[in-house]
Amino acid sequence: MLVTGVARQLGGRFVRRIQRDPQVDRVIAVDAVAPEHHLGGADFIQADIRQPTIARVLAETNADTVVHLDVTGIALGSGSRVALKETNVIGTMQLLGACQKSPSVKRLVVKSSTNVYGSAPRDPAVFTETTSPKALPSGGFAKDAVEVEGYVRGFARRRPDVAVAVLRFANILGPTADSPLAQYFAMPVLPTVFGYDPRLQFVHEDDVIEVLRIASREPERGTLNSGTFNIAGDGVLLLSQCSRRLGRPTMPLLLPAVTWAGSLVRTLGVTDFSPEQIRLLTHGRVVATNQMRETLGYQPKFTTAETFEEFARVRGPGLLPPAALRRVVDRIAALPFAPFAGSGGARATSSTTTTTVTTTAEAT
């Protein structure tokens, strides 16, 4: 098995985990920079997937499975956005070209993102794997992911003998999560778009590792480890709920002001507050995960709420103690003329999606 993107924490964790799988004889770990973390007994090869040398690496190692994790929205170290896009798009093209020429490759797993659906005001309540976005992402990591998936589909047509799995992960959170959204939640005050309270989904790092492991191995009876799969924890959280659980106050701003603030914090290097992230924090995004359960055969161990709870615990308390904030919100909710008084905390559960959609704000 050959794994790309191992210099990142997620890639390193997957490499260490997959070595314990009895079906795996050897793991080849590849990245352009040497990882700072331990890779267990894996063989590390320093190679840039943007260069044709990746074809030689694949040919020499005779790998039968390729797990492509080097598709990401945040650069390593001081890397630029241009270099990141080249790795995501050009690197994927080079890797797929190498896989196409290699007769030993029988399985390809690609880490993608639910960002491919975009975030728009006319989006459906829940995206399935076959739902077309109302507006294609115009830039950033979301556009990279769309282009990567296009190249993967082309590869699958040219090599029908290779089992191809594309895993569209929701926002990944956990103790070691490193993403633009994790950086946003680490801010002492969270800028939000006035009048909007988007629904968000998360997937825990541990579930990410297990899904990658399942997709990269020979399928068990009754499962099919190929196709495109949405990967997310059960349920949703509103952005307001996230801020309360973190104990971080929000600063509602008009959309132009949020866009200006995003440019400012991006310039200062605080976080990559990109236009695509602003759209997510305006309109939200929820995906159905039926195929993950029914076809891939995986049940997440963490719900969206449990994932965020662990993330919040590791990050530490914000400016406002969550318990005290919860009591204040409870008192407001009990007032006869409170905005959401008497709502009863109603929930709507779709029988076709396994995703619980929260329709009113909760006190916690």
Side-chain angles (χ1 to χ4, degrees):
M1 177 182 295
L2 184 144
V3 184
T4 67
V6 300
R8 301 177 185 276
Q9 290 293 335
L10 190 69
R13 283 195 59 188
F14 174 71
V15 166
R16 293 190 295 272
R17 172 63 184 89
I18 201 64
Q19 291 174 71
R20 303 200 302 269
D21 196 309
Q23 291 188 9
V24 178
D25 297 325
R26 182 188 180 196
V27 178
I28 310 298
V30 175
D31 210 311
V33 297
E36 297 180 356
H37 44 259
H38 187 51
L39 295 177
D43 297 323
F44 175 69
I45 297 178
Q46 190 164 350
D48 191 334
I49 62 171
R50 295 174 295 179
Q51 304 299 325
T53 52
I54 189 62
R56 186 173 70 249
V57 171
L58 195 57
E60 292 176 352
T61 57
N62 209 34
D64 60 356
T65 301
V66 175
V67 181
H68 183 30
L69 303 183
D70 213 355
V71 180
T72 183
I74 191 165
L76 273 176
S78 59
S80 65
R81 167 62 197 158
V82 173
L84 183 64
K85 182 177 180 62
E86 288 179 353
T87 300
N88 288 340
V89 179
I90 305 301
T92 297
M93 291 176 61
Q94 290 283 5
L95 180 66
L96 294 177
C99 291
Q100 184 176 335
K101 297 175 183 177
S102 173
S104 65
V105 174
K106 301 300 179 186
R107 180 170 297 280
L108 171 67
V109 179
V110 178
K111 171 183 170 287
S112 187
S113 169
T114 56
N115 280 317
V116 297
Y117 299 115
S119 294
R122 296 177 57 242
D123 280 347
V126 179
F127 284 99
T128 68
E129 287 84 352
T130 58
T131 306
S132 299
K134 295 294 183 181
L136 284 173
S138 58
F141 172 61
K143 186 178 181 182
D144 293 354
V146 170
E147 293 182 24
V148 164
E149 288 199 11
Y151 293 130
V152 173
R153 286 192 294 272
F155 168 81
R157 289 193 295 269
R158 293 188 296 270
R159 284 290 304 270
D161 58 309
V162 177
V164 179
V166 176
L167 306 178
R168 292 174 176 168
F169 291 103
N171 298 289
I172 301 173
L173 290 181
T176 63
D178 186 15
S179 67
L181 194 61
Q183 293 177 351
Y184 166 79
F185 283 130
M187 298 174 67
V189 177
L190 306 180
T192 61
V193 181
F194 180 78
Y196 292 88
D197 196 11
R199 299 172 303 153
L200 304 174
Q201 271 180 315
F202 307 112
V203 58
H204 196 281
E205 291 173 329
D206 293 353
D207 285 318
V208 172
I209 299 301
E210 283 304 300
V211 169
L212 288 168
R213 183 187 66 82
I214 291 172
S216 64
R217 63 183 299 176
E218 287 296 320
E220 300 174 358
R221 179 175 296 182
T223 63
L224 181 64
N225 295 6
S226 60
T228 300
F229 304 95
N230 293 330
I231 311 297
D234 289 345
V236 301
L237 283 177
L238 301 178
L239 179 56
S240 59
Q241 293 173 284
C242 295
S243 69
R244 289 196 292 271
R245 296 180 186 208
L246 284 169
R248 285 175 166 79
T250 59
M251 182 186 295
L253 302 170
L254 295 176
L255 183 57
V258 175
T259 303
W260 175 84
S263 300
L264 178 63
V265 297
R266 202 160 55 243
T267 301
L268 296 175
V270 176
T271 180
D272 184 15
F273 208 155
S274 64
E276 65 187 89
Q277 182 162 307
I278 294 174
R279 286 191 289 271
L280 173 66
L281 297 176
T282 304
H283 306 295
R285 184 189 308 119
V286 177
V287 299
T289 55
N290 301 69
Q291 294 301 313
M292 175 186 69
R293 292 170 171 80
E294 298 170 5
T295 305
L296 198 59
Y298 185 70
Q299 172 69 38
K301 296 180 176 61
F302 294 85
T303 65
T304 285
E306 290 168 345
T307 298
F308 195 82
E309 181 180 352
E310 182 165 347
F311 169 78
R313 177 181 56 80
V314 172
R315 295 289 164 156
L319 298 176
L320 304 175
L325 186 60
R326 185 184 304 117
R327 288 193 295 272
V328 172
V329 174
D330 286 343
R331 293 193 187 101
I332 295 175
L335 295 175
F337 300 106
F340 44 87
S343 66
R347 295 175 183 268
T349 304
S350 169
S351 61
T352 61
T353 64
T354 74
T355 300
T356 302
V357 179
T358 306
T359 56
T360 59
E362 296 179 356
T364 58

